[in-house]
């Protein structure tokens, strides 16, 4: 079992973007010291998250760390030129060889207005995503096409290594697409809302061998503390915010613990929280590891876990990752 971290640079209810970014940097440095496998950052064009340019932040984080792999979770490919995405990724790989992951996806990453602004004057055909993935892998020399429409165009800088490419998704269709192109697959269970072993089975059975090996990841929310009660309390802010977002009610970043504690839930809302439990692992370090071990068995092994922890207090968030890694290293 491998453990990695996704950080979305969430802005607090009474905080700002600069503070959120500083917390992301400190968490990356801590993850590097603790021994986590990867540290990924996301692309979101939304007011409650502090940034929308994972490639820029990746360069800063890679320079601040020395061992951990740094990646995007992910770059929303339909917004951009595959050639430019390849050049950005290759530059990062040249500066930090063997440490760069390029996670790609096709979600809008924001409201419709943001999508329109990002794709202004750009017509995107239905099958364009698959074509973009082919182009990206061609430019990175991971899966070359003999007769590419741009000939021997090379993504600069021209180096001998390439970033590891992952496709993010929450369906069997996405898993099959990743398998067809022979790249890694990150299953967004924390977004999909349910575990589904069939999705990873599609990936395993359909994988086409190439320059990259088969790699699978499952993404989950993490709430970890010294006691189960404390972990449940940490999750409350996230759970209440999720309920409000479902109802279309405005949420100004991560809710303060006292704001969440004062929220009175209806019986229906309590049921919704139970429905959302498959998106997270929650409890003491021992309990969390047990939940992950059960998921590993459910997914038939060889699965990496990417954990994101939307905990309001920075020290509590860091402590959860510290406790989990300490228990992980001392597990039987």
């Amino acid at each position: 079992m491998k453990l990695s971290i996704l950080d979305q640079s969430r802005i607090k209810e009474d905080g700002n973007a600069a503070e959120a970014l500083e917390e992301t940097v400190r968490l990356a440095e801590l993850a590097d010291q603790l021994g986590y496998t990867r540290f990924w950052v996301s692309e979101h064009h939304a007011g409650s998250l502090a940034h929308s340019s994972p490639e820029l932040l990746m360069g800063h984080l890679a320079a601040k760390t020395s061992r951990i792999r740094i990646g995007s979770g992910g770059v929303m490919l339909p917004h951009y030129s595959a050639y430019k995405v390849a050049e950005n990724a290759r530059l990062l790989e040249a500066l930090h060889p063997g440490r760069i992951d390029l996670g790609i996806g096709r979600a809008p990453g924001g409201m419709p207005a943001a999508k329109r602004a990002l794709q202004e004057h750009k017509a995107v055909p239905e099958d364009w995503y698959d074509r973009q993935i082919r182009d990206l892998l061609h430019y990175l020399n991971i899966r070359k096409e003999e007769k590419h429409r741009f000939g021997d165009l090379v993504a600069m800088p021209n180096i001998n290594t390439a970033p590891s490419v992952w496709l993010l998704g929450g369906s069997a269709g996405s898993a099959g697409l990743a398998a067809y192109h022979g790249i890694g697959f990150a299953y967004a269970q924390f977004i999909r809302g349910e575990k589904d072993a069939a999705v990873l089975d599609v990936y395993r059975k359909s994988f086409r061998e190439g320059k990259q090996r088969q790699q699978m990841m499952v993404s989950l929310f993490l709430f970890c503390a010294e006691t189960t009660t404390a972990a449940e309390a940490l999750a409350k802010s996230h759970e209440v915010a999720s309920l409000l977002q479902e109802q279309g009610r405005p949420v100004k970043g991560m809710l303060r613990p006292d704001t969440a504690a004062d929220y009175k839930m209806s019986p229906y809302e309590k049921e919704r929280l139970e429905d959302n439990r498959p998106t997270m692992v929650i409890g003491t370090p021992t309990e969390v590891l047990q939940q992950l071990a059960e998921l590993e068995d459910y997914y038939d092994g060889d699965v990496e876990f990417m954990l994101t922890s939307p905990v309001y207090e920075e020290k509590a968030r860091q402590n959860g990752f510290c406790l989990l890694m300490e228990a992980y290293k001392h597990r039987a």
Side-chain angles (χ1 to χ4, degrees), residues 8-317:
Q8 297 175 309
S9 303
R10 292 172 179 259
I11 301 173
K12 296 177 182 176
E13 181 182 11
D14 55 357
N16 58 57
E19 293 169 349
L21 289 170
E22 289 169 359
E23 291 188 12
T24 293
V25 174
R26 288 192 289 266
L27 184 58
E29 292 172 331
L30 179 63
D32 190 36
Q33 297 165 14
L34 292 174
Y36 283 88
T37 301
R38 309 173 202 277
F39 190 93
W40 283 12
V41 292
S42 58
E43 176 183 340
H44 285 285
H45 306 271
S48 61
L49 302 170
H51 75 89
S52 55
S53 300
E55 307 100 318
L56 290 176
L57 186 52
M58 285 166 61
H60 184 66
L61 296 178
K64 289 281 188 177
T65 55
S66 60
R67 176 204 57 81
I68 197 167
R69 295 189 67 93
I70 301 294
S72 57
V75 173
M76 298 299 107
L77 197 55
H79 295 327
Y80 313 111
S81 154
Y83 182 60
K84 183 61 175 177
V85 171
E87 290 200 313
N88 285 339
R90 185 164 269 180
L91 176 57
L92 288 168
E93 173 69 18
L95 294 171
H96 308 281
R99 293 182 56 210
I100 300 301
D101 295 327
L102 175 59
I104 56 174
R106 59 178 162 187
M111 299 300 288
K115 179 181 177 180
R116 291 196 301 271
L118 286 161
Q119 298 184 13
E120 191 172 20
H121 307 306
K122 179 180 178 181
V124 181
E126 284 295 321
D127 61 348
W128 190 239
Y129 187 49
D130 180 68
R131 177 69 262 175
Q132 282 190 297
I133 296 173
R134 293 170 185 266
D135 290 344
L136 181 69
L137 299 179
H138 172 78
Y139 296 138
L140 292 174
N141 199 29
I142 292 174
R143 193 178 287 275
K144 296 290 287 185
E145 294 188 6
E146 290 185 10
K147 295 182 179 180
H148 194 272
R149 65 190 184 283
F150 291 118
D152 295 327
L153 184 65
V154 175
M156 300 300 289
N158 190 3
I159 55 176
N160 293 326
T161 61
S164 177
V165 180
W166 294 70
L167 187 136
L168 285 56
S171 68
S174 294
L177 194 59
Y180 176 79
H181 290 293
I183 56 180
F185 178 64
Y187 176 55
Q189 183 170 319
F190 75 132
I191 296 175
R192 168 79 179 272
E194 62 181 352
K195 60 184 183 180
D196 190 347
V199 171
L200 295 193
D201 284 343
V202 167
Y203 176 78
R204 285 191 185 92
K205 294 174 182 176
S206 307
F207 188 81
R208 286 203 305 163
E209 296 295 335
K211 290 191 175 182
Q212 285 194 199
R213 63 185 177 86
Q214 188 178 112
Q215 296 183 92
M216 293 165 287
M217 180 188 296
V218 175
S219 303
L220 297 157
F221 290 116
L222 167 72
F223 300 97
C224 182
E226 287 85 351
T227 68
T228 306
T229 301
E232 294 281 356
L234 293 179
K236 189 70 179 294
S237 294
H238 167 70
E239 291 182 316
V240 172
S242 297
L243 289 173
L244 295 176
Q245 288 171 339
E246 277 187 7
Q247 298 164 16
R249 297 161 68 179
V251 178
K252 297 179 180 179
M254 281 197 292
L255 298 180
R256 291 173 52 88
D258 54 349
T259 302
D262 290 341
Y263 185 79
K264 305 302 180 185
M265 294 185 199
S266 68
Y268 169 76
E269 288 175 323
K270 290 178 181 178
E271 288 183 10
R272 285 296 300 132
L273 292 188
E274 286 303 314
D275 292 340
N276 286 335
R277 279 301 165 112
T279 66
M280 63 182 71
V281 285
I282 183 168
T284 66
T286 300
E287 291 168 342
V288 168
L289 283 178
Q290 179 61 34
Q291 293 165 44
L292 293 177
E294 291 171 0
L295 280 170
E296 187 179 38
D297 288 342
Y298 172 80
Y299 284 116
D300 201 20
D302 198 25
V303 175
E304 181 175 336
F305 292 103
M306 176 71 73
L307 306 171
T308 184
S309 188
V311 170
Y312 183 87
E313 293 290 348
E314 180 184 13
K315 292 300 181 183
R317 188 184 321 127

